[in-house]
Amino acid sequence: MKNKKILINSKDSNYNIYVGSNLIAQINKILKKDKINAKNFLIIYDSKVPFKIINILRKKIKENIIFHKFYSSEKNKNQKSVNKILNIMLKNNFNRNDCLIAVGGGIIGDVSAFAASIFKRGLKFINIPTTLLAQVDSSIGGKTGINSDYGKNLIGSFYQPDLVIADIKFLKYLPKRELICGYAEIFKHSIISDKKFFYFLLNNFEKIINLKKPYIDQAIYKSCFIKKKIVEKDVKEKNLRKTLNLGHTFAHSYEATYKYSKGLNHGEAVLLGINSASEFSFKKNLLNYKEYKLIINHISKINNSLKINNYFNKKDTNKLLGYIKNDKKNISKKINLILINKIGQVSYNNFFELKEISKFIRNQFL
Ligand code: GLY
């Protein structure tokens, strides 16, 4: 696939997402084309990003650049890290026309974007996502955030980037488990809005996960395109964007119960969450048996040990419910679930008593 460009065109912002290979080597041209005419750049990069990539950026960007290495973890996704970034920019007299670049996964993107949104009420921000998950999901749509003692991503803002560069070359440095994490969100996007894409994923999973061209490029491009269509209509998650939370109410309770440890990463929790949301939709007579089986069989194919009983048991029910109850998306006592009507179509106005969710969770362990 040739390198592609997707324009996100929402009410108060426009920016391009470039998808392709070797884009980093063309960054100076892209900056010029997209009119990023900053004099100073601060590059926040993940400690795991290979040095040679950082060196390409150093050589290609002719303006003044400062580099800041970030050891990304949920623990470091906090106000202290944001303050460090802000202080570097303040010390170096950055102004609003200068630019912050995040080079890393979702954590670095979220922290950097949050810092960009509050620095002098907003400076230029470029996201260069290096993980599959960040390329297909978290780099698009302007959600920024940090964690607090009270929970994950509870402090943040909506702040759109000026540019996103998803360079597929980065993916070869990722372990398979990390790639599956991103694949979970791609799969989610297909269930939300594109049956044809869903079948493409079912037929080409192995090729995608082994980064075979043009399958990986097509999967990333299509996934970004689905998200574009949704966030353009509803940036602030008042209605349609809620659909992107398919499986996530369950997923957050699963990963929180694991204390966000490596025992269950976000993508695995999302796949378990999609499994639960599919089962709930089937039990509510929304999703038919054939499509329900297609979804859960694909999850088994992705990782055969991703079964709820392998991670939790009946004794965990109250803990799981506690997290579901405190989900930041809830605005009343009832629990809002995204449910699947059919593959390619989900609904977001579904509210349930906690009692009913409790019964469902308990029954998952039978
Ligand atoms: N990752 C879900 C969203 O951006 O809304």
Side-chain angles (χ1 to χ4, degrees), residues 125-170:
F125 175 62
I126 297 175
N127 205 336
I128 304 184
T130 60
T131 63
L132 185 57
L133 183 131
Q135 294 190 349
V136 301
D137 190 8
S138 62
S139 65
I140 310 162
K143 277 189 182 175
T144 85
I146 53 172
N147 303 332
S148 89
D149 292 343
Y150 295 90
K152 225 181 129 176
N153 292 332
L154 291 182
I155 299 166
S157 55
F158 285 101
Y159 191 68
Q160 305 303 325
D162 292 279
L163 172 65
V164 177
I165 303 174
D167 192 330
I168 292 164
K169 272 225 151 162
F170 282 116

Side-chain angles (χ1 to χ4, degrees), residues 183 185-191 193-204 208 215 218-224 226 343:
Y183 185 83
E185 304 288 358
I186 298 177
F187 186 52
K188 176 195 80 179
H189 287 158
S190 79
I191 299 171
S193 74
D194 197 322
K195 191 169 179 167
K196 208 167 136 204
F197 183 44
F198 176 88
Y199 281 106
F200 169 81
L201 296 179
L202 257 51
N203 293 329
N204 298 297
I208 294 167
Y215 305 94
Q218 284 168 355
I220 294 173
Y221 178 78
K222 187 73 195 172
S223 197
C224 291
I226 290 172
I343 290 166

Side-chain angles (χ1 to χ4, degrees), residues 137 140 143 188 227 237 241 244-245:
D137 190 8
I140 310 162
K143 277 189 182 175
K188 176 195 80 179
K227 186 153 182 188
E237 202 174 291
R241 187 167 181 170
L244 293 174
N245 294 315

